[in-house]
Amino acid sequence: MLPALPLPETLVLFLATLALAAVSVWLLSRARPAARRAGFARAAVAALAALAAVPAAGMLLWSSGRGAEAALGVRLAWTALVVLAPTAIGLFAASLLAAALGALAALRRPGRERPAPRPAPATAMSRRALVRASLSILPVSAAGAGVRGLASAPDAPRVPLVRMRFRDLHPDLAGLRILHLSDLHLGVARHVEDLEALLARVAPLAPDLIVLTGDVADDLGQLEAALETLHRVRPRLGIFASLGNHEYLNRIERTRPIYEASRVELLVDRGVTLAAGSARIHIAGADDPVVWDRDRVETFLERSVARCREQAPEGAFRLLLCHRPEGFAPAARRGFHLTLAGHTHGGQVGLFGRSAFQALFPDLHLWGDYRRGESRLYTTSGFGHWFPFRLGCPTEAPIIELVREPG
């Protein structure tokens, strides 16, 4: 498992999670009758200490720096944090709701005489007990979501058939199928054997073309085997790849020669034109900027896509392989018909077939199909993951089918 953040940032996240949980416990204890506050606080502190022990032990092992111990520490720390952090957030939401209910109750007019309450039947749940039970749903549901996300991560990637419609598509390209593989991250949670199983599953769908859009292997020992495994499929139009940021992070001077020695053609700032019957399809691969700064990413991809377009003949169907979906805007402006991207992992959390973060970042293309004029994009959620957590956003290996739309 690769950590989502380096150790110092993970420690900050851990301490922030504990602080949030501690504030939540304090707020919830204030909502209790005075006689019960101390007992509730002691029980809550004991529960928090037990929950915090696992990630704390994990980070201690991680800090040792030794291979096996550090790897175990990363797994312990991040597996526990995936459950602990949502639980703390849910607990905080419950505490705010309890505080609001208490404040509303305090707004009743002071000094008003109330009749003594009638004793409730033994089988009836009091209003206070009902509220307490309702508040417990939030942290329990959050913890359950964390557990579910971890449990879903090992599921086999789905193979959706995505039909993309294009006006005036050449008849010889109608029905052409492209197997799109991205973010395999072989050596982290998936391995070459998983790729072999996937290729056996998609064989009946007979893809005409296989494309890779970066981050193929984090264990470079598996990269050569993966490329050879793909070559053995021999789709009629071939196999092409573009670079992702992990090819650079794993030292491009080591990864690029592995591609170039294989029979999978690597496209970097260039393209090739293929014949498909009497039609032509131009496949180009954008480079990856590696950096995170959005302005620099956009500037870099603007130049890379421009270089890719220079070689594309007019009249050909133009396909761009770009690890990051930020390449879609310059691709659409330059007349690429279809862009295939990955990188985002769909945010690893989905809702109704879209990334759960799409509403927060409407200008990003996090997962699924998008359109700009006559240009189309598909961003895959990826075949693998660098951190094994998936909730409503399964891993996938989409097959893109070109469909002719009447003009």
Side-chain angles (χ1 to χ4, degrees), residues 190-262:
R190 304 266 194 237
H191 304 278
V192 174
E193 294 77 13
D194 298 298
L195 176 60
E196 291 172 342
L198 181 278
L199 293 173
R201 285 170 56 202
V202 303
L205 298 173
D208 303 286
L209 175 67
I210 298 177
V211 298
L212 305 167
T213 53
D215 288 8
V216 173
D218 286 283
D219 175 4
L220 296 188
Q222 299 195 39
L223 179 55
E224 183 178 355
L227 296 177
E228 180 58 31
T229 296
L230 286 163
H231 171 72
R232 288 198 295 267
V233 178
R234 288 183 167 82
R236 70 181 181 96
L237 293 180
I239 308 172
F240 300 88
S242 64
L243 293 172
N245 58 308
H246 276 244
E247 274 76 29
Y248 282 97
L249 295 175
N250 289 313
R251 295 174 56 187
I252 192 65
E253 67 273 15
R254 296 175 60 200
T255 56
R256 188 160 181 169
I258 295 174
Y259 278 97
E260 292 172 345
S262 77

Side-chain angles (χ1 to χ4, degrees), residues 259-284:
Y259 278 97
E260 292 172 345
S262 77
R263 286 170 286 188
V264 172
E265 187 161 1
L266 180 65
L267 302 173
V268 184
D269 283 352
R270 68 181 186 90
V272 296
T273 302
L274 308 174
S278 59
R280 290 182 299 169
I281 177 170
H282 184 81
I283 307 169

Side-chain angles (χ1 to χ4, degrees), residues 37-392:
R37 286 179 188 170
F40 172 81
R42 282 195 296 271
V45 168
L48 282 177
L51 285 171
V54 176
M59 282 184 283
L60 282 173
L61 286 172
W62 185 359
S63 65
S64 73
R66 292 185 293 272
E69 292 87 347
L72 175 61
V74 169
R75 185 172 294 278
L76 285 174
W78 273 98
T79 299
L81 276 172
V82 164
V83 177
L84 182 60
T87 303
I89 294 169
L91 193 64
F92 184 65
S95 69
L96 292 179
L97 184 56
L101 292 173
L104 287 174
L107 290 176
R108 294 179 179 178
R109 287 181 296 175
R112 180 178 177 182
E113 293 292 331
R114 294 186 189 174
R118 296 178 181 178
T123 57
M125 179 180 284
S126 69
R127 184 181 302 173
R128 185 183 295 274
L130 182 61
V131 169
R132 282 201 299 268
S134 300
L135 292 177
S136 68
I137 292 173
L138 291 172
V140 170
S141 299
V147 172
R148 174 59 183 158
L150 290 169
S152 299
D155 292 349
R158 65 182 192 132
V159 184
L161 181 62
V162 181
R163 291 186 168 91
M164 305 288 266
R165 299 182 179 277
F166 298 91
R167 189 180 303 173
D168 300 326
L169 181 72
H170 193 288
D172 286 354
L173 294 178
L176 184 141
R177 290 182 170 181
I178 306 167
L179 173 60
H180 178 200
L181 297 171
S182 190
D183 303 278
L184 288 78
H185 293 286
L186 299 178
V188 179
R190 304 266 194 237
H191 304 278
V192 174
E193 294 77 13
D194 298 298
L195 176 60
E196 291 172 342
L198 181 278
L199 293 173
R201 285 170 56 202
V202 303
L205 298 173
D208 303 286
L209 175 67
I210 298 177
V211 298
L212 305 167
T213 53
D215 288 8
V216 173
D218 286 283
D219 175 4
L220 296 188
Q222 299 195 39
L223 179 55
E224 183 178 355
L227 296 177
E228 180 58 31
T229 296
L230 286 163
H231 171 72
R232 288 198 295 267
V233 178
R234 288 183 167 82
R236 70 181 181 96
L237 293 180
I239 308 172
F240 300 88
S242 64
L243 293 172
N245 58 308
H246 276 244
E247 274 76 29
Y248 282 97
L249 295 175
N250 289 313
R251 295 174 56 187
I252 192 65
E253 67 273 15
R254 296 175 60 200
T255 56
R256 188 160 181 169
I258 295 174
Y259 278 97
E260 292 172 345
S262 77
R263 286 170 286 188
V264 172
E265 187 161 1
L266 180 65
L267 302 173
V268 184
D269 283 352
R270 68 181 186 90
V272 296
T273 302
L274 308 174
S278 59
R280 290 182 299 169
I281 177 170
H282 184 81
I283 307 169
D287 200 357
D288 190 86
V290 187
V291 297
W292 289 92
D293 180 78
R294 188 169 179 185
D295 289 340
R296 292 171 65 191
V297 167
E298 291 176 350
T299 300
F300 181 96
L301 289 176
E302 190 79 43
R303 294 170 181 165
S304 181
V305 173
R307 286 191 285 268
C308 289
R309 181 64 176 87
E310 288 171 359
Q311 306 164 23
E314 295 301 325
F317 182 89
R318 293 177 288 276
L319 167 62
L320 178 70
L321 311 181
C322 185
H323 181 60
R324 303 183 191 225
E326 288 92 336
F328 179 44
R333 286 194 293 270
R334 287 172 171 78
F336 278 92
H337 298 92
L338 175 61
T339 301
L340 297 178
H343 184 62
T344 66
H345 296 217
Q348 300 197 197
V349 180
L351 191 64
F352 306 122
R354 286 285 186 179
S355 172
F357 303 102
Q358 188 68 70
L360 297 176
F361 306 102
D363 57 334
L364 299 183
H365 307 102
L366 297 173
W367 177 31
D369 60 300
Y370 301 87
R371 180 190 288 272
R372 279 177 177 257
E374 296 300 314
S375 187
R376 304 292 299 275
L377 163 73
Y378 189 84
T379 304
T380 176
S381 62
F383 177 89
H385 25 239
W386 45 262
F387 180 69
F389 179 89
R390 293 282 179 156
L391 186 62

